[in-house]
Amino acid sequence: MVRDQLSVEQVIAQLRPEPPAVLGISLYSYNLGASYATIRALKRAFPDLHLCVGGPHVNIFPRETLSLEGIDSIVLGDGEQPFLELCDRVVRDGRLAGELPPGVYTAEAAAGAAPLLPYELPSLDDLPVPDLTLLDDHTRYRDFLSGRVMGLLASSRGCPFRCFYCRSERSRYRAYSLEYIGRCLRHYQRMGVEYVEFWDETFNSSIARLRAIAELFERERYGLRWAIRGAVVTNAPFEVLARLRATGLGLIQFGVETSVPRLLEALNKRISAASIQAAFAASQRAGLRTVCNLMINVPTQTRREIEHDLALVRALAPTYVSISIYNWAPDTTLYARALETGALREDFWRRYAERPVGAEPVVHAETEVPVAEVYRMRDRFLRRYYFNPGYVARYVRRMEARELWRAASIAALMARGQLLARLRG
């Protein structure tokens, strides 16, 4: 639906000639309203459809999800094997009955006080290589700027760190073997993929792991361009990054969030300003594009601390900057503490999970800077950061010729948007 910009009605029209027996949908708390509206429309159109949901939101609110009209079952944990067994049963028997696959629950099976247990694969390497043919014409999926045929991979699941603002603090880190990663990359190569993005929560869980991946790419010579979408600044030495750059790595995205020691401690984020600066310096020296993910309006953050972090970002000079404005995320330590202390008067995420109608309850922390001003601070910083001659000169030097036209078009649209905003103001 997202890739082809299809409405729910268009999806229903495509499915109507041969309705599926089972439909699986991943649910995320931050787009739950639209997803649930889609679910209800599909169940009205196809009453006999078995609708199964999984994903992060379901693992946080399993019982609340099962209580929603139109949802027949949920899958908790690693969903590949349980969902496959569920599909086989429904297609064969016309319904899901008897003893359920591990990790699969219906409202009836979940009744009572017993905990609902997620399924965990004994070994991630037991999974088959991702089959790109299931995407129909996978060559339609292309990198935003270069236009290269793109494939997504993960070299691990979960996160080894325990940051209090992120639900991944409750996950268990598990890595795929290098042999499995190599099989996936060879398959992608055979299918004509030119660019691969690794969407791990933490790609560089250790320097030893990063070196091993460098050795894999050097030995096998895949001939692919690739990027890392989730990295920690503490495990990014220059000598390894330079080796990865030589194998086709072009971009690395770091989760910084803040550099203020007091806030880093409050977030349980085990980094420092020195490690942040070292990671960006090493990446840029290796010739990599960088992304800096910053978070502002963290609980108790002061205006001076926001300005300090923005100044640090300017000094780091990353290729791209992503600034998110903190909001209370479900199933995190900070959210639980806010409920315990009365900083939040109600468990609004649970209430919304019970009745996901309307917009999601994105609630920002109240700090000494009003939220509306925080947004203005962010927007003003991004305008000044991107629209200045120094940044443009650095950016153009790192660009490929095939990216220039698309980048120029995007810049023109951004400039037009800024001009219209000023005229309206």
Side-chain angles (χ1 to χ4, degrees):
M1 292 176 71
V2 175
R3 169 62 182 81
D4 295 327
Q5 298 183 338
L6 298 177
S7 66
V8 178
E9 292 73 24
Q10 288 172 311
V11 171
I12 290 172
Q14 289 188 10
L15 295 176
R16 198 173 292 284
E18 191 177 353
V22 181
L23 180 63
I25 296 179
S26 292
L27 296 185
Y28 299 84
S29 297
Y30 285 89
N31 68 357
L32 183 62
S35 298
Y36 187 53
T38 300
I39 286 170
R40 287 183 293 171
L42 288 165
K43 286 295 279 190
R44 285 195 298 269
F46 309 108
D48 296 330
L49 171 68
H50 183 101
L51 209 147
C52 176
V53 295
H57 177 82
V58 180
N59 281 271
I60 300 172
F61 299 111
R63 295 187 188 277
E64 290 82 358
T65 304
L66 278 171
S67 71
L68 297 177
E69 180 185 356
I71 292 175
D72 299 296
S73 64
I74 64 172
V75 178
L76 301 179
D78 296 329
E80 294 90 347
Q81 187 62 42
F83 183 65
L84 176 61
E85 188 175 336
L86 179 152
C87 290
D88 288 341
R89 290 231 211 133
V90 174
V91 170
R92 184 189 66 218
D93 304 331
R95 62 194 181 98
L96 184 63
E99 185 178 354
L100 299 178
V104 174
Y105 292 93
T106 60
E108 181 181 9
L116 307 186
L117 302 177
Y119 174 71
E120 185 173 294
L121 283 163
S123 170
L124 292 178
D125 285 9
D126 291 340
L127 291 170
V129 168
D131 184 0
L132 295 182
T133 65
L134 295 175
L135 296 175
D136 191 15
D137 180 10
H138 68 279
T139 63
R140 296 183 307 151
Y141 297 85
R142 293 176 177 267
D143 173 47
F144 185 66
L145 279 178
S146 71
R148 289 187 175 93
V149 177
M150 183 172 70
L152 304 182
L153 274 182
S155 70
S156 63
R157 291 187 180 182
C159 181
F161 302 102
R162 297 290 177 264
C163 302
F164 290 161
Y165 60 89
C166 177
R167 189 184 180 264
S168 292
E169 65 173 305
R170 310 196 191 288
S171 67
R172 189 171 81 84
Y173 176 78
R174 294 171 291 156
Y176 292 90
S177 71
L178 296 179
E179 291 74 21
Y180 179 86
I181 297 169
R183 289 199 302 273
C184 293
L185 290 171
R186 285 294 178 204
H187 169 65
Y188 278 29
Q189 192 181 40
R190 288 192 296 270
M191 295 295 294
V193 170
E194 303 165 296
Y195 173 72
V196 175
E197 287 189 349
F198 282 90
W199 279 59
D200 296 59
E201 293 179 60
T202 304
F203 183 86
N204 56 340
S205 56
S206 69
I207 295 176
R209 171 80 172 171
L210 198 63
R211 284 200 180 100
I213 292 173
E215 290 167 5
L216 171 69
F217 273 85
E218 289 168 340
R219 182 175 65 250
E220 300 299 329
R221 299 187 180 185
Y222 299 107
L224 297 165
R225 299 295 181 93
W226 59 290
I228 299 169
R229 293 298 297 259
V232 62
V233 295
T234 50
N235 298 326
F238 167 74
E239 55 97 0
V240 184
L241 294 178
R243 291 168 61 188
L244 293 173
R245 176 73 177 97
T247 70
L249 177 63
L251 178 144
I252 185 166
Q253 184 167 165
F254 290 110
V256 171
E257 320 316 345
T258 182
S259 65
V260 178
R262 180 184 73 85
L263 296 176
L264 288 170
E265 183 177 357
L267 297 175
N268 199 38
K269 194 168 181 68
R270 306 303 187 186
I271 65 173
S272 65
S275 62
I276 294 167
Q277 292 164 334
F280 278 87
S283 301
Q284 290 158 1
R285 183 181 164 203
L288 296 172
R289 299 181 190 180
T290 54
V291 180
C292 177
N293 289 327
L294 190 73
M295 185 164 62
I296 60 176
N297 202 55
V298 175
T300 76
Q301 189 175 31
T302 66
R303 181 187 301 274
R304 184 182 295 273
E305 287 169 336
I306 293 176
E307 292 171 346
H308 171 86
D309 278 341
L310 294 176
L312 175 71
V313 172
R314 190 178 295 108
L316 294 174
T319 316
Y320 306 103
V321 182
S322 174
I323 302 177
S324 60
I325 296 175
Y326 178 87
N327 64 82
W328 301 102
D331 201 31
T332 61
T333 293
L334 290 185
Y335 184 69
R337 287 180 179 174
L339 290 171
E340 291 169 4
T341 61
L344 290 175
R345 291 185 292 274
E346 63 168 333
D347 189 347
F348 53 82
W349 273 115
R350 189 171 302 279
R351 178 167 55 81
Y352 186 72
E354 294 169 348
R355 189 175 182 274
V357 177
E360 289 75 19
V362 176
V363 178
H364 296 294
E366 294 183 6
T367 67
E368 72 172 34
V369 185
V371 172
E373 187 177 348
V374 172
Y375 274 91
R376 287 194 295 270
M377 291 176 72
R378 181 193 65 178
D379 295 345
R380 183 167 60 248
F381 174 85
L382 291 176
R383 282 196 304 270
R384 292 175 178 174
Y385 185 82
Y386 285 118
F387 290 97
N388 76 76
Y391 173 82
V392 173
R394 290 195 307 272
Y395 187 74
V396 170
R397 280 200 301 271
R398 292 192 181 278
M399 293 195 73
E400 301 175 56
R402 66 193 299 170
E403 298 175 330
L404 285 171
W405 174 250
R406 185 68 184 270
S409 302
I410 294 167
L413 287 173
M414 290 176 64
R416 180 175 179 271
Q418 296 294 337
L419 177 60
L420 290 174
R422 290 189 178 187
L423 290 174
R424 293 192 192 101

